[in-house]
Amino acid sequence: MSKNWYIVHTYTGYENKIERTIRQMLEAGELDSNVVSDVKVPVEEVVEVKGGKKKSRKNKFLPGYIMLELDLPEIGWKDVCGSIRHIQGVTGFVGTNPNVRPRPISTEEAKNLLQKSGEIKGEKNVRIKQSYTVGDQVKITEGPFATFSGTVEEVNTEKNKLRVMVQIFGRATPVEVDLLQAEKI
């Protein structure tokens, strides 16, 4: 037996409640902690700039799904999966019928989901909810060029950077700023 990650489909909005229920079942001994290792609701941090203020919140990037790390036994897997399926709000394991043994997701998929949610140490993924296009007028709010205004010349969403053309001493100069250091005018 080996531990694998499984995806459980739930009613949207019930994810945290089901996570709590599974943890309570583990504490009460209704689920074997040797079988159910971990339960996670995949969330990502979203940073939004409104009125010059940064607001950070957690968004579920897989609404209606939770991740379960299970070490399913060959014999008795139906009991474990049945008790999980009978939790109110759970519709079943993704990709299988109730009478068929659930299939785990690949380790690569699990690693990508956990990394996106910041569970795996390393670079934490923070998504910035701000859309800029080339030609937008922006005001730089932080850094050495604070209070300068200019036109967006390039948007690099992978690095969360903008290249803005600002007027410095009467000359158009390209300045690279973080997405959070600028706001649309």
Side-chain angles (χ1 to χ4, degrees), residues 88-114:
Q88 185 178 0
V90 172
T91 58
F93 286 84
V94 170
T96 57
N97 294 327
N99 57 352
V100 178
R101 183 182 169 100
R103 288 188 304 254
I105 60 174
S106 70
T107 53
E108 178 120 349
E109 285 175 312
K111 183 181 173 190
N112 287 342
L113 288 172
L114 292 170

Side-chain angles (χ1 to χ4, degrees), residues 21-160:
T21 303
I22 291 173
R23 291 192 190 283
Q24 289 169 354
M25 290 172 76
L26 283 168
E27 288 173 14
E30 296 172 37
L31 286 174
D32 187 359
S33 60
N34 294 327
V35 175
V36 180
S37 306
D38 202 359
V39 56
K40 298 209 181 295
V41 177
V43 292
E44 66 181 340
E45 189 176 347
V46 178
V47 177
E48 192 173 8
V49 178
K50 277 190 178 176
K53 295 184 180 179
K54 290 182 210 171
K55 293 183 181 176
S56 177
R57 68 174 193 272
K58 302 262 185 201
N59 262 11
K60 295 176 186 124
F61 63 84
L62 289 176
Y65 298 94
I66 63 171
M67 295 176 65
L68 273 178
E69 188 177 31
L70 302 175
D71 191 0
L72 277 182
E74 291 297 321
I75 300 170
W77 64 265
K78 277 191 175 186
D79 296 332
V80 174
C81 294
S83 57
I84 292 169
R85 279 191 191 100
H86 285 91
I87 297 171
Q88 185 178 0
V90 172
T91 58
F93 286 84
V94 170
T96 57
N97 294 327
N99 57 352
V100 178
R101 183 182 169 100
R103 288 188 304 254
I105 60 174
S106 70
T107 53
E108 178 120 349
E109 285 175 312
K111 183 181 173 190
N112 287 342
L113 288 172
L114 292 170
Q115 199 165 20
K116 189 173 181 183
S117 65
E119 297 291 335
I120 296 177
K121 294 206 188 245
E123 194 172 307
K124 190 170 184 181
N125 235 1
V126 177
R127 190 167 57 92
I128 296 168
K129 187 180 176 185
Q130 192 81 0
S131 59
Y132 294 101
T133 55
V134 174
D136 283 347
Q137 292 292 317
V138 294
K139 177 182 174 189
I140 300 173
T141 57
E142 294 178 17
F145 299 100
T147 71
F148 280 85
S149 297
T151 307
V152 175
E153 188 179 79
E154 182 184 340
V155 180
N156 188 341
T157 52
E158 290 175 11
K159 293 183 179 178
N160 291 333

